Amino acid sequence: MNTTGIQIQSVDKSFGRGQARTVVLKKTDFAAETGRLTMLVGPSGCGKTTLLSIIAGTLHADGGAVEVLGQRLDRMGADAVARFRSRNLGFIFQQFNLIPTLTAAENVSVPLVIQGFGHRHAERKAREVLDWVGLSDHVNFRPAKMSGGQQQRVAIARALVHEPPIILCDEPTSSLDSENGHHVMELLRKAATQKDRLVLVVTHDNRTYGFADHMAEMEDGRIFRTLTTQEEIRAHHPPGS
Amino acid sequence: MIRIALKMLFGDRGKYVMLISGITFATLLMAQGMSLFCGLMSWTYSTMRNVNVPIWVADPKVEQCNDNKPMRDTDTTRVRSVDGVAWAVPLYQGISMARLADGASKMITLIGLDNNTLIGAPTRIIAGRLEDLRMPNTVILDDFGVERLSAGRACPIRVGDVFEINDREARIVAICQSYRSFTGGPYVFTTYDRAVQYAPNQRKMLSFILAAPQPGLTDQEVAQRIAAGTGLAAFTQHEFMWSTILWYIKNTGIPINVGTIVIIGFFIGAAISGQTFYSFVLENTRHFAALRAMGASSGTLCAMLLAQAVLVGFIGYGIGLGLVSVLGNNLLRLGKVPFLMLWQITAVVGGAVLVIVALSALIGILRIARLEPAIVFR
Ligand SMILES: Nc1ncnc2c1ncn2[C@@H]1O[C@H](COP(=O)(O)OP(=O)(O)OP(=O)(O)O)[C@@H](O)[C@H]1O
Ligand SMILES: [Mg+2]
């Protein structure tokens, strides 16, 4: 069952004031469904990260409606949004953002610990998810002892460990070579389709377009085209182009 | 989350060590300075600790127990006649020079005790007999005096040996333990009459009159009656101790010197740990922002920073106090430097460390509070 998980309507966002003011989002509309891997693509500086941050509730829109899982984030206070994030969202960043002094298992357990689970339970759960991403023999490794691809898989495990219905990823493959990027995208797709999650991937890495079920193309702060099937995506972005 | 916070801190060994050193250093300087101060202050009233009687009577201008404004011998009788006084006896205190067999001179504090009662005599005799002080030309020397006067001799000075005080013979009949004097010279006890002979001649020699209340009366009541009845200054031992300490605080540079050490300790500690903690927080800004993005509340982040700062403060304080007591005990053993670490000092230093730690954490918290969780996507 595919249901609408994210619904953005007529969102505005600008940075700075006066002369330095840059308008980034202009009456932007966007939607994404569960059970699919949605890609948000577009040239550098078009506003993808800004839109993602607004969906995550880490950035406030100037106007418009931001509805995630039926909740209006734009009408919630900062602490309520933080609580909402801790339960419902998983994050994967371009720079992995793992804490260097924690082991893989400890890093993965962080979202559960934030929710108030005990360390033992959290780390047991973390090991299961590390196993799922294929890192069962790296649970006690620190990030510095792992390759970029392995670190990003730890980050995926961290985004999944608390079983959030939505995973948000910003350029998850752009720090990786194509083989590792491929592996990471496979995992993300598996997370979306096997577990009926909404996975939203912001990227301009066209090597990964084949993994998308749904694609929103952005330019200059607006979604100018939405491709809703893999066939459509292949037609507009032929593999190897 | 506290566990995660501490792991973040332990992982950054350089900063961790630096933070602890800052606190250790501050603790060391502050506790050392204050202990030195208390030690010095305890030296100022050593004569009182050694003589140990309930009431001290002195010339009205005397404020502290190392001051010498002699009274007339007849004043003792006047004090005795005050209603409620059980007994009153004279005491001589003065600085003299002791000359050794080899001709070298050493400064001593000479105490002359009442001829008949020997009230105020040392209680901790470690060699010889107190009663022998009634024999001609005899003195009791304290253990520090043994050390001082033995310098340059083949074997240490002991009971039966003879030295000179202002060209008069002084034969040692006992060795005692005593509290070190502020002036730094050893104590030599003898009788009042003999002390007067030893001392360079002056018209009046009576330094203090020692007194005690009759049973049923308090020291304070009787001291007030003595003061009213004779026009002399009369203190209970406790009052005189504080009067002495306050005199030194008001009239010497000791509080300023020690206060400077303590304040420098505080600020250096605060600067090192505040600065290090701030750069620790700066370096981890990305991770704190990521935690915030993953849904950690501001309260949780504050608790993490506090836990990190408090742990560092606790360890640094412990190491610092340990070092101070080792250092202090060695100084005490050498006997050259006053050192008195009261529990109040550990409490005050602990409070100061808490302030440093709270300030450091606050700097970090202010930094984190201004954090936009959106930066993790940049
Ligand atoms: N905090 C900010 N202050 C000022 N300008 C900002 C801020 N964040 C983003 N911008 C501007 O908004 C525009 C869009 O930025 P955004 O990061 O959303 O682009 P993007 O599509 O993610 O680009 P990229 O593919 O390079 O990551 C850029 O011109 C950027 O300079
Ligand atoms: Mg971006």
Side-chain angles (χ1 to χ4, degrees), chain B residues 341-356:
Chain B
M341 192 151 94
L342 303 169
W343 69 265
Q344 287 93 335
I345 294 178
T346 58
V348 169
V349 173
V353 166
L354 262 186
V355 170
I356 294 177

Side-chain angles (χ1 to χ4, degrees), chain B residues 26-302:
Chain B
T27 304
L28 192 71
L29 270 189
M30 288 191 287
Q32 180 69 23
M34 289 184 202
S35 300
L36 208 74
F37 180 75
C38 289
L40 264 177
M41 288 300 116
S42 78
W43 278 14
T44 61
Y45 63 95
S46 319
T47 299
M48 295 172 60
R49 291 165 93 192
N50 287 327
V51 171
N52 195 20
V53 292
I55 296 173
W56 290 71
V57 184
D59 180 274
K61 291 203 189 64
V62 167
E63 288 172 63
Q64 50 104 348
C65 73
N66 300 305
D67 197 1
N68 206 347
K69 296 202 171 57
M71 298 171 284
R72 275 188 294 273
D73 284 333
T74 52
D75 285 334
T76 312
T77 329
R78 288 172 61 218
V79 171
R80 274 183 196 136
S81 66
V82 171
D83 196 27
V85 172
W87 48 257
V89 295
L91 184 86
Y92 170 84
Q93 176 183 241
I95 308 287
S96 284
M97 296 309 282
R99 203 168 65 209
L100 315 178
D102 66 359
S105 286
K106 296 271 152 90
M107 194 176 73
I108 57 163
T109 298
L110 184 64
I111 300 287
L113 305 163
D114 178 49
N115 302 325
N116 300 319
T117 61
L118 297 183
I119 282 173
T123 49
R124 296 173 297 165
I125 303 286
I126 51 180
R129 287 168 5 126
L130 172 66
E131 297 77 56
D132 291 347
L133 202 55
R134 298 183 195 281
M135 298 195 293
N137 302 330
T138 53
V139 297
I140 300 176
L141 187 62
D142 70 4
D143 47 359
F144 178 54
V146 171
E147 192 186 303
R148 272 287 163 94
L149 301 189
S150 296
R153 289 170 64 111
C155 66
I157 200 165
R158 33 165 214 231
V159 171
D161 283 341
V162 172
F163 62 97
E164 283 180 4
I165 303 174
N166 293 332
D167 299 332
R168 284 168 188 272
E169 183 186 87
R171 192 158 51 84
I172 301 167
V173 291
I175 310 280
C176 68
Q177 284 184 324
S178 73
Y179 296 104
R180 285 282 300 277
S181 81
F182 186 71
T183 48
Y187 278 99
V188 174
F189 296 88
T190 185
T191 61
Y192 184 80
D193 284 352
R194 218 171 297 132
V196 169
Q197 288 166 13
Y198 281 137
N201 225 342
Q202 287 164 355
R203 201 162 49 82
K204 298 186 288 180
M205 303 295 279
L206 178 59
S207 313
F208 296 106
I209 299 162
L210 313 176
Q214 278 170 359
L217 294 172
T218 64
D219 298 354
Q220 196 153 20
E221 274 175 293
V222 175
Q224 277 164 4
R225 284 190 205 174
I226 293 171
T230 61
L232 298 168
F235 304 87
T236 67
Q237 173 131 304
H238 189 73
E239 286 166 355
F240 204 27
M241 174 189 90
W242 279 110
S243 176
T244 301
I245 292 175
L246 288 176
W247 189 89
Y248 278 90
I249 290 178
K250 270 187 279 186
N251 294 287
T252 66
I254 299 170
I256 294 178
N257 289 330
V258 175
T260 313
I261 296 179
V262 171
I263 290 170
I264 288 177
F266 180 85
F267 281 105
I268 290 184
I272 295 178
S273 53
Q275 153 75 30
T276 312
F277 202 67
Y278 186 67
S279 70
F280 169 74
V281 170
L282 270 191
E283 272 171 30
N284 282 285
T285 300
R286 234 190 139 65
H287 301 120
F288 283 116
L291 291 174
R292 188 79 165 270
M294 287 188 273
S297 69
S298 315
T300 304
L301 295 184
C302 287

Side-chain angles (χ1 to χ4, degrees), chain A residues 44-45 47-50 94 170-171 202 204, chain B residues 377-378:
Chain A
S44 186
K48 304 183 296 295
T49 297
T50 303
Q94 180 179 351
D170 195 10
E171 315 269 8
V202 163
H204 52 213
Chain B
F377 289 116
R378 306 256 144 233

Side-chain angles (χ1 to χ4, degrees), chain B residues 301-340:
Chain B
L301 295 184
C302 287
M304 289 176 76
L305 290 177
L306 264 179
Q308 289 164 338
V310 166
L311 179 85
V312 161
F314 199 74
I315 297 177
Y317 174 69
I319 298 178
L321 276 194
L323 286 179
V324 172
S325 47
V326 169
L327 207 73
N329 279 329
N330 282 323
L331 288 177
L332 273 188
R333 194 129 32 81
L334 291 173
K336 301 281 188 290
V337 179
F339 182 88
L340 181 63

